[in-house]
Amino acid sequence: MKITDVSVVVTSPGRNFVTLKIGTDEGVTGLGDATLNGRELAVASYLRDHVVPLLLGTDPHRIEDTWQLLYRGAYWRRGPVTMAAISAVDVALWDIKGKVAGLPLYQLLGGASRDRVATYGHASGRDLPQLFDSIRERLAHGYPAIRVQSGVPGLHRVYATPTAPDAAPDPANGFALPAVEDWDTGAYLRHLPRVFEAVRAEFGPDLPLLHDSHHRLTPLQAARLGKALEPYDLFWLEDCTPAENQEGLRLVRRHTTTPLAIGEVFNTVFDFQTLISEQLIDYVRASVTHFGGISPLRKLLDFAAMHQIKSAMHGPEDVSPVGTAAAIHLDLAVHNFGIQEYSGHSPLAHRVFPHSYTFTDGFLHPGDAPGIGVDIDEEIAAAHPYQQSYLPVNRLLDGTVHDW
């Protein structure tokens, strides 16, 4: 079997997705997700201009060899664009291998370690009544765990919460410029424990609750927050500080027993090396789409398992159904699974990417279709072309750019 055709599909069924499609001389095709939110065209170009020529004529079954070629052979290693491109190739080759074998991907990874995959959903509100309504809505959908994000008094735009009615509109010069959020760390640190106190009083002690600080705190501030949230028994505190400074997590760990989850912006095992070997985190948040694919992420999770650290793969709406499916297969197979983020996708995105995975009563299953179990309707995809868009940016009240 040889690779004879490779194409890159960029489409926007509600948001932008980049999909790699690999074809073979035996008519078997595979799909991989290469979406990098806000920088989608950079990955599409990397694939078309630099990766596709290397794949044509090669054996699709040589997954590990191809991965090493794309990683080591470029000389310029790592980085989100490179690793998203490599991920798309890796997942597409696993998809082909599963189809040739007539087996779903999780069977090639050792078979199922559980019957279904637990998820958490996102709840948010500008104030407590709106937040409570959002939590109830997620519970009605069956989510067994809830991520809680709250507005902060005095701030108009806060990550993952509804925009205040009087917030200034985004600028527009022919395309969507980044929305600008505002931030006050002191106000946030004072307000958030009160939010969780109210949520616990309303929903009781048994509901698993999560929270995402989204990289906005220093290690000392993160330690203070983790300590303040201990009475409310969080399932985890996510991205409490920018973890590129891995040593900073030592300070956080020394001062709080609140579980920590980190890694959605990481690309390789080197980003996690200290965090895992010193057990500075409890959950690995890397995604298949941004970590180079199934092959390296399975190795990372085996490394994490040696240190009693569990998986919690990134699952936002900007990981396409192709990337979502790959994650669910890995979730089902690995022993040290923790929980899967699941934001879902729009009905139109589901039409572009018909799939075998299911979401029932808060749990996912990849289905038993051969490969990853996702197809792409290229006609519908073509009817929804790329739309220029950006992730928001964050500024302190004095105008200084801050972490988003």
Side-chain angles (χ1 to χ4, degrees):
M1 180 180 284
K2 298 294 182 184
I3 295 174
T4 55
D5 180 64
V6 186
S7 60
V8 180
V9 180
V10 181
T11 183
S12 186
R15 65 189 312 143
N16 295 317
F17 297 120
V18 179
T19 306
L20 183 71
K21 183 175 182 179
I22 296 179
T24 69
D25 56 355
E26 296 185 16
V28 183
T29 61
L31 298 180
D33 180 22
T35 306
L36 186 63
N37 196 359
R39 296 294 185 269
E40 299 90 351
L41 297 185
V43 188
S45 173
Y46 190 100
L47 284 166
R48 290 187 181 116
D49 298 335
H50 305 293
V51 174
V52 169
L54 299 174
L55 299 177
L56 294 173
T58 64
D59 181 354
H61 288 302
R62 298 185 61 167
I63 298 175
E64 181 68 19
D65 182 67
T66 300
W67 195 96
Q68 298 295 342
L69 172 68
L70 296 179
Y71 181 79
R72 298 176 187 275
Y75 185 70
W76 308 107
R77 302 179 185 182
R78 308 167 67 183
V81 173
T82 295
M83 299 312 291
I86 293 176
S87 173
V89 176
D90 185 78
V91 172
L93 296 183
W94 277 110
D95 192 19
I96 289 171
K97 189 176 285 288
K99 289 175 180 176
V100 171
L103 293 171
L105 174 59
Y106 74 84
Q107 294 288 15
L108 303 184
L109 301 175
S113 290
R114 57 199 47 81
D115 298 326
R116 55 185 184 165
V117 172
T119 69
Y120 69 89
H122 298 172
S124 66
R126 290 189 302 272
D127 51 31
L128 288 177
Q130 190 178 54
L131 174 60
F132 289 177
D133 287 344
S134 182
I135 293 173
R136 292 188 186 101
E137 182 181 356
R138 297 299 175 271
L139 292 174
H141 281 91
Y143 282 103
I146 308 294
R147 190 189 77 170
V148 172
Q149 304 296 135
S150 172
V152 176
L155 301 183
H156 288 80
R157 292 181 181 273
V158 177
Y159 166 75
T161 61
T163 302
D166 59 342
D170 297 338
N173 294 331
F175 56 87
L177 292 174
V180 179
E181 297 180 354
D182 49 353
W183 188 248
D184 182 333
T185 300
Y188 166 76
L189 291 175
R190 291 188 295 272
H191 182 64
L192 194 67
R194 296 196 289 266
V195 170
F196 276 91
E197 180 182 25
V199 171
R200 278 290 179 223
E202 180 71 16
F203 294 95
D206 298 328
L207 177 62
L209 299 176
L210 305 81
H211 178 71
D212 185 359
S213 292
H214 224 244
H215 322 280
R216 297 186 177 194
L217 307 178
T218 66
L220 184 60
Q221 292 165 345
R224 286 178 53 200
L225 180 61
K227 188 72 173 178
L229 294 176
E230 285 178 13
Y232 312 113
D233 189 25
L234 266 64
F235 186 91
W236 78 40
L237 176 62
E238 178 184 346
D239 287 338
C240 59
T241 189
E244 295 94 323
N245 174 19
Q246 297 185 34
E247 293 80 2
L249 270 294
R250 294 173 181 151
L251 186 151
V252 181
R253 198 60 139 178
R254 281 197 299 269
H255 293 283
T256 181
T257 58
T258 295
L260 303 176
I262 275 175
E264 68 184 50
V265 299
F266 288 172
N267 309 127
T268 72
V269 66
F270 302 105
D271 300 311
F272 283 102
Q273 192 167 6
T274 298
L275 301 180
I276 290 176
S277 62
E278 296 188 19
Q279 295 181 278
L280 300 178
I281 60 174
D282 302 278
Y283 295 92
V284 166
R285 290 278 294 134
S287 73
V288 174
T289 297
H290 302 129
F291 200 76
I294 291 285
S295 299
L297 190 49
R298 176 60 187 267
K299 296 172 186 176
L300 177 74
L301 293 178
D302 286 342
F303 175 42
M306 296 170 59
H307 300 273
Q308 298 176 294
I309 295 170
K310 294 184 176 182
S311 74
M313 277 176 269
H314 191 41
E317 291 179 77
D318 50 271
V319 168
S320 86
V322 176
T324 298
I328 300 168
H329 282 278
L330 194 53
D331 290 332
L332 199 69
V334 297
H335 180 260
N336 57 324
F337 169 75
I339 200 166
Q340 172 66 52
E341 180 181 22
Y342 183 64
S343 301
H345 296 94
S346 69
L348 180 56
H350 287 303
R351 288 177 57 208
V352 172
F353 298 99
H355 53 77
S356 65
Y357 69 79
T358 56
F359 178 69
T360 307
D361 298 328
F363 291 83
L364 290 160
H365 192 279
D368 287 310
I372 63 171
V374 183
D375 202 351
I376 184 169
D377 188 319
E378 296 189 62
E379 184 176 343
I380 301 177
H384 299 277
Y386 170 80
Q387 301 291 316
Q388 181 76 57
S389 66
Y390 290 92
L391 291 169
V393 297
N394 196 33
R395 291 183 181 272
L396 302 180
L397 297 183
D398 68 358
T400 303
V401 173
H402 192 55
D403 292 301
W404 181 76

